[in-house]
Amino acid sequence: MIEIRELTLRYGDKTVLDRFSIDLPDRGITALSGPSGCGKTTLLRVLAGLAVPERGTVSGIDPKRTAFLFQEDRLLPWRTVGQHIADVLPRERRGEVPSWLTFAELEGEEGAYPAALSGGMARRLALARCAALGGDLLLLDEPFAGVDEERAGRMLERLRGLDVPVILTSHQGAVLERCDAVFRLDGPPLHTQC
Amino acid sequence: MWADGLKKFIKAAIPPVFWLGVWQLAALLVGRELLLPGPLAVAKALAALAVTGNFWLSALMSLLRIFLGLAWGTAAGAALAFLTHFSAWASALLAPAVKVVRATPVVSFILLVYLWVTRAAIPAVIAGLMVLPVIWGSVTAGLAAVDPQLLEMAGAYRFSRLKTLRLIYLPSLRGHFTAGLLTAFGLAWKSGVAAEVICPPTLAIGSRLQAARLALETPELFAWTLVIIALSLALERILRLLLERGERL
């Protein structure tokens, strides 16, 4: 179990997390849902160690052993699709690039640059890169934004097949339906609901 | 097709023909070769120079000195930019010094450097000193413009420092560096030749320019100036092509 206790975080005057506590499963696929700007992304960033709360604790995960999918694709315009995957793999695992391209349904696009990809393709590449990086926990911020429902469903099943716990945020009903647990959050600020 | 080619040729030929005409007319009006030689006299002087070994050796040595200056100035400017970008202390200490170098007139540097190094080394030192702040400025601006989201991604995806440099910093800097290098090249060329004129080494374009002035050989003075312009334009074109090819790789 990932135990989050009394997290408080502010950006300037804006309180994003207000003594927020929650227990999240450490297996399967867990979804966090809620209105835009309610603090889901900030919560994921705290779990990944990318944002430091003013107070509160997180136990049950090591932020250094998580892989985080940013809400933006953050692809490198000068690297090809194949290179994006290879860049996060250690030398001895470079042979896995084709299988990660299959994971993202990007076969045949290995030599393409991000500018030549559609929004959905770029998102799938970003997701495959994050999954290829791997770790003890995948933290995915809107992993299927711009990806059609059918394909998102297939990729979600492939994520399940990796046998790594996943916590994701999503607004897409079809994605939420396929998750093992869904937490509906409210905010801002994100606070513990009684 | 043939007519199009002819049109292009005429369009390209009109400006130089026009300016050569203006030059010739001005020379005729002045009427004294010592003050303003005509294009024909300059062409004759150039042809006479081009058959001598000294002409080519002087041009080669000037090129070598200026490229040496361009090389050390670029390396030092880029290294200083990284240092001042990543270290607040280095920035506090070195940034004002680089700005002083940028603001100092080239002539002051030439006369000062003359006190410290041999004549033959002055053009390379001066060219490098002129290049350094330009490259420092462009690389510093490039570093400040590197996308912070990509840097955060590199950190989150556990890229090593070397990998972050190779995959994010260097590609992001290309545009700034290219623009800076092209500007710096022009400066290196002009300041290097100026240094050769003021402190003439044995074999150098600037020395020949100075010698022609002292001997009141105005057509030769013009001929050397033409050589400087032609070399500058040709080398800038080559540099631009090399940089464009580098960007495609």
Side-chain angles (χ1 to χ4, degrees):
Chain A
M1 193 67 79
I2 299 164
E3 294 178 1
I4 295 162
R5 293 288 174 269
E6 301 274 315
L7 280 189
T8 299
L9 191 146
R10 289 188 193 90
Y11 290 126
D13 294 339
K14 191 183 174 194
T15 302
V16 185
L17 303 177
D18 185 15
R19 302 181 68 183
F20 178 70
S21 299
I22 195 169
D23 289 338
L24 296 171
D26 60 0
R27 63 195 63 202
I29 299 178
T30 303
L32 305 177
S33 173
S36 293
C38 77
K40 303 184 297 290
T41 295
T42 304
L43 179 61
L44 281 193
R45 289 177 65 86
V46 170
L47 296 179
L50 296 171
V52 181
E54 285 169 30
R55 52 179 291 194
T57 58
V58 177
S59 58
I61 56 167
D62 177 359
K64 287 181 189 148
R65 296 196 51 80
T66 62
F68 186 80
L69 174 68
F70 294 91
Q71 204 169 57
E72 314 82 18
D73 300 324
R74 302 200 186 186
L75 302 176
L76 304 174
W78 43 82
R79 302 294 280 172
T80 64
V81 167
Q83 285 170 333
H84 274 88
I85 304 294
D87 287 343
V88 297
L89 292 173
R91 199 174 294 273
E92 64 276 11
R93 284 180 56 206
R94 295 273 161 86
E96 292 177 16
V97 170
S99 62
W100 286 109
L101 294 181
T102 305
F103 172 93
E105 301 185 16
L106 286 171
E107 303 96 328
E109 302 291 343
E110 187 167 356
Y113 285 90
L117 303 179
S118 69
M121 290 163 96
R123 195 65 190 146
R124 275 144 47 205
L125 173 59
L127 174 57
R129 177 177 63 171
C130 175
L133 174 71
D136 293 344
L137 174 66
L138 299 184
L139 298 162
L140 312 178
D141 197 358
E142 297 287 353
F144 304 113
V147 179
D148 63 82
E149 281 186 6
E150 202 176 313
R151 192 172 258 141
R154 288 199 298 269
M155 291 194 70
L156 200 63
E157 290 316 310
R158 282 186 208 118
L159 276 174
R160 197 186 298 283
L162 297 177
D163 208 21
V164 176
V166 174
I167 298 176
L168 60 83
T169 66
S170 183
H171 288 101
Q172 294 157 286
V175 171
L176 297 176
E177 278 170 19
R178 289 169 179 264
C179 292
D180 301 314
V182 177
F183 290 80
R184 295 187 193 278
L185 307 173
D186 198 13
L190 206 56
H191 55 277
T192 310
Q193 293 168 26
C194 300
Chain B
M1 196 78 154
W2 186 85
D4 276 356
L6 187 68
K7 256 187 201 170
K8 267 188 189 171
F9 175 76
I10 291 171
K11 204 176 171 186
I14 285 174
V17 168
F18 171 78
W19 286 110
L20 280 171
V22 170
W23 181 7
Q24 180 63 51
L25 196 65
L28 283 173
L29 286 173
V30 171
R32 290 176 67 188
E33 198 171 78
L34 183 68
L35 291 180
L36 184 62
L40 207 62
V42 173
K44 269 185 196 166
L46 189 60
L49 284 172
V51 294
T52 64
N54 251 358
F55 171 85
W56 298 103
L57 261 180
S58 299
L60 184 68
M61 290 306 289
S62 288
L63 278 175
L64 280 176
R65 288 190 197 97
I66 286 158
F67 270 100
L68 192 64
L70 186 67
W72 87 257
T74 301
L80 276 178
F82 273 90
L83 201 62
T84 53
H85 181 78
F86 288 109
S87 159
W89 273 105
S91 178
L93 283 173
L94 298 171
V98 179
K99 285 174 188 165
V100 167
V101 172
R102 184 158 54 189
T104 306
V106 64
V107 177
S108 305
F109 268 128
I110 294 169
L111 297 175
L112 276 172
V113 170
Y114 199 3
L115 301 172
W116 304 325
V117 301
T118 61
R119 265 192 210 188
I122 293 172
V125 173
I126 294 301
L129 276 173
M130 293 299 107
V131 165
L132 188 151
V134 174
I135 296 294
W136 174 79
S138 56
V139 174
T140 298
L143 285 168
V146 173
D147 187 347
Q149 289 198 337
L150 294 185
L151 294 175
E152 188 185 40
M153 181 275 293
Y157 288 8
R158 302 185 271 281
F159 283 12
S160 65
R161 280 184 187 184
L162 191 67
K163 198 175 200 177
T164 306
L165 177 75
R166 187 170 63 85
L167 296 186
I168 296 179
Y169 279 109
L170 295 184
S172 303
L173 286 174
R174 255 184 197 166
H176 285 87
F177 181 75
T178 304
L181 192 61
L182 287 170
T183 309
F185 171 74
L187 268 176
W189 190 239
K190 284 177 203 151
S191 60
V193 172
E196 288 178 346
V197 170
I198 296 172
C199 314
T202 316
L203 282 169
I205 292 176
S207 311
R208 303 296 301 273
L209 206 61
Q210 179 69 305
R213 188 188 73 86
L214 292 172
L216 300 177
E217 286 288 349
T218 315
E220 202 177 312
L221 190 68
F222 271 68
W224 278 112
T225 307
L226 279 183
V227 170
I228 294 167
I229 293 168
L231 277 175
S232 174
L233 291 176
L235 293 170
E236 191 187 316
R237 179 92 186 118
I238 291 169
L239 190 65
R240 204 180 281 274
L241 284 173
L242 287 174
L243 290 169
E244 277 170 10
R245 185 175 290 184
E247 267 178 34
R248 276 201 299 272
L249 290 177

